[in-house]
Amino acid sequence: MESRAAGPTGTSSLFAIFDLTFSRTDQFRPFGLVAPGFEAADVGTVSPGSSGEVLTLHASGPAAPFAAVEARLPAASRGSLALGLGTEEGDHVLVRWDAATSRVTLEVRIHGRSRVLRRRKTRLGEGAGLAFALCENQVTALVDHGNGWRPLITERAKVTALVDLRRETTLQRFRYGWSASDLTASALRAGLFGMTGLRDPHLVQHADGSPYERDGRQFLTWTCAGLGGFRQAHWTAWSFDPASPRDLRLESQLFTRRDGLVLGDHAGQLVRHRDRWLLATSSWGDFSPGDIHVRHAETGADLLSGVHVIDTERSPLPTGHGTWDPCLLLRDGHWWTAFVASPSQDPFDFHPALARGGQGSATPWSDDLELVAAAEDLRRCEGPIFVRVGSETWLLASDGKRRQFPVFDLEGKRRGRLDAPYPTNIPHPQLVPDPRGGWWMITFENTQYAERVMGYGGHGDVVLMHST
């Protein structure tokens, strides 16, 4: 049952937000190759087949080009194991381990021709793990020697040149697949890709800014860091206990469809208005400098459960710059929209901006937007978030250059900053009322996952703070 959560009681002073002092209480990192709760196959053991070249295909494949297949190896001096995606026609994209050569390879077979794109030697002992992961068009082979999953080889450009798995008509041909030759693997699992870390938290809210709640749980959208950079991440919704935000549970996976591609656009917000969901997100899914922008959609589907591929359209924000990190609020009969405006993405230069739309709750939020203010003096400031504390509604942001969280009023005037420690990266200052009293700040930091192999983009840890 959905409901509207009440905020904490207490002072209604104009400057109540500046009476808050935050301290760090927890830091942790959700991680999973196969997303928990989104498994398509939990096979157990994989017995030897007649040929290591023939994949056993599952009945289903991924709804988006974000997938993983993982298994555990026995002690074996010979044999091979292959994991990945395949088609009825014999095409495949997979990783293979061969015991005789101690070699892991990344392979693509299209139109009857197989190509090895990457290879590397590694010894895998009894109980070691082998995994295939697809994030957008980037394919990665991972191994687990007992200390957790680590990427061994990865490739995007050569994969994309052969097959574009972002294309929905192409992806629909592929299903989860695996094969074993002269060995029996165990603990095989396949499903949608999970996360190597979380970032960009945004509270799921009613249009008036109050937290959206079901059965005592509230919701956050998060960007799930993938194996790669911006394009390899994707968007998800998680429920949590507002009294204990460490209790996070993945509820839905959200992808967007545009120009015939299924993409992992992310960094946005879900807003409940009447009986519909308003979705606003950023076009990081196919990021290239000069074309990053906000996109939006409206739907009656339950976006807080299951897997969704959503058609979106470009949002008419009142700026000629690149845009991302949208957030929405219906207040005093007007829609307010905050977003990041970016004059340049090479090098990056970005700042928060505020706009107001036409009057009336029946008016679409994107109609008749007029720019209220833009903090053009800031150069590395993003993550705008509306929050009501006491009797006032504020716009928060994160200034990575000054390492602080500036606070703006709804005229766009800077009124101060939050009294809170500033983690690494540009952590978004998502405030959430604690039903026991006070406020949580739910944010993230910059610890990368396997940066030597994967490069930048695998952050980060979830960071919790509480007001004191």
Side-chain angles (χ1 to χ4, degrees):
M1 178 179 294
E2 65 181 64
S3 62
R4 195 180 303 267
T9 59
T11 177
S12 61
S13 163
L14 173 64
F15 296 109
I17 194 169
F18 300 116
D19 297 329
L20 300 176
T21 296
F22 288 89
S23 60
R24 188 180 304 215
T25 62
D26 203 355
Q27 182 170 331
F28 60 98
R29 191 181 192 98
F31 181 96
L33 298 183
V34 177
F38 292 84
E39 299 87 351
D42 193 348
V43 176
T45 60
V46 183
S47 300
S50 60
S51 171
E53 294 297 324
V54 178
L55 291 181
T56 297
L57 298 180
H58 188 259
S60 67
F66 291 82
V69 186
E70 59 185 58
R72 294 285 161 179
L73 290 158
S77 58
R78 60 192 181 91
S80 66
L81 176 67
L83 307 171
L85 300 176
T87 73
E88 291 283 1
E89 298 78 23
D91 292 345
H92 63 230
V93 180
L94 56 79
V95 300
R96 188 189 307 277
W97 176 73
D98 185 85
T101 61
S102 297
R103 180 173 290 152
V104 173
T105 55
L106 190 159
E107 304 176 16
V108 174
R109 180 178 176 86
I110 296 293
H111 306 310
R113 181 181 177 187
S114 295
R115 297 171 177 86
V116 174
L117 306 186
R118 293 282 180 183
R119 57 171 61 85
R120 184 174 172 183
K121 283 193 172 186
T122 186
R123 291 189 177 276
L124 298 178
E126 182 176 3
L130 176 70
F132 159 94
L134 170 69
C135 294
E136 192 246 4
N137 272 338
Q138 186 144 348
V139 178
T140 304
L142 302 98
V143 296
D144 180 4
H145 294 283
N147 298 313
W149 293 107
R150 307 301 295 176
L152 188 68
I153 49 177
T154 190
E155 179 59 44
R156 180 184 185 275
K158 294 179 180 179
V159 172
T160 304
L162 296 172
V163 57
D164 189 350
L165 293 168
R166 303 171 304 168
R167 295 202 170 278
E168 194 165 20
T169 54
T170 299
L171 183 65
Q172 287 172 348
R173 298 172 48 233
F174 284 84
R175 294 185 278 161
Y176 302 106
W178 52 86
S179 70
S181 176
D182 297 323
L183 59 82
T184 299
S186 62
L188 187 139
R189 299 168 66 240
L192 284 177
F193 181 81
M195 72 298 300
T196 64
L198 298 180
R199 58 180 183 262
D200 310 333
H202 212 130
L203 189 65
V204 176
Q205 295 170 307
H206 293 276
D208 66 0
S210 59
Y212 180 89
E213 186 173 287
R214 284 183 185 172
D215 301 323
R217 295 180 72 82
Q218 295 177 22
F219 295 81
L220 289 160
T221 57
W222 288 93
T223 297
C224 284
L227 291 163
F230 299 132
R231 291 174 294 189
Q232 283 72 50
H234 72 287
W235 209 31
T236 52
W238 301 61
S239 69
F240 68 100
D241 179 352
S244 180
R246 187 183 178 106
D247 177 20
L248 282 170
R249 184 169 69 214
L250 178 62
E251 301 286 1
S252 68
Q253 304 228 43
L254 307 173
F255 304 96
T256 59
R257 178 191 294 113
R258 51 190 169 94
D259 303 323
L261 306 180
V262 177
L263 301 167
D265 289 339
H266 52 267
Q269 189 185 22
L270 294 180
V271 171
R272 187 68 170 176
H273 182 45
R274 297 173 175 172
D275 61 347
R276 306 280 287 176
W277 284 109
L278 308 181
L279 174 151
T281 189
S282 313
S283 67
W284 291 113
D286 62 348
F287 169 73
S288 60
D291 193 42
I292 180 72
H293 60 279
V294 169
R295 302 186 66 84
H296 70 278
E298 180 178 333
T299 178
D302 183 6
L303 297 186
L304 299 183
S305 178
V307 182
H308 301 269
V309 180
I310 305 158
D311 292 289
T312 62
E313 60 182 284
R314 193 173 188 129
S315 303
L317 298 179
T319 178
H321 300 319
T323 55
W324 63 82
D325 287 358
C327 59
L328 312 176
L329 176 70
L330 182 60
R331 181 180 181 272
D332 298 333
H334 287 274
W335 282 105
W336 298 78
T337 302
F339 56 93
V340 167
S342 174
S344 170
Q345 295 92 57
D346 189 13
F348 272 105
D349 179 1
F350 48 93
H351 57 265
L354 179 65
R356 190 176 75 167
Q359 192 165 9
S361 62
T363 302
W365 72 266
S366 56
D367 279 8
D368 302 322
L369 288 172
E370 296 182 353
L371 190 66
V372 174
E376 295 179 347
D377 59 312
L378 302 177
R379 294 289 182 264
R380 294 185 65 245
C381 189
E382 62 182 5
I385 288 171
F386 289 118
V387 62
R388 184 179 182 89
V389 180
S391 61
E392 292 296 315
T393 298
W394 306 94
L395 176 63
L396 313 181
S398 181
D399 185 344
K401 185 174 182 179
R402 294 175 175 83
R403 297 184 55 76
Q404 60 184 233
F405 302 105
V407 179
F408 302 86
D409 62 23
L410 291 193
E411 294 180 354
K413 296 178 181 178
R414 204 173 319 168
R415 304 297 292 271
R417 60 183 177 85
L418 291 179
D419 183 4
Y422 195 88
T424 54
N425 199 257
I426 310 178
H428 297 190
Q430 179 60 69
L431 297 192
V432 176
D434 183 345
R436 303 170 304 177
W439 291 81
W440 292 103
M441 182 190 289
I442 305 175
T443 188
F444 65 99
E445 53 80 81
N446 196 44
T447 298
Q448 300 292 318
Y449 171 71
E451 188 172 12
R452 184 181 65 82
V453 177
M454 301 309 310
Y456 175 81
H459 54 296
D461 287 7
V462 176
V463 176
L464 300 182
M465 306 183 201
H466 202 277
S467 61
T468 58

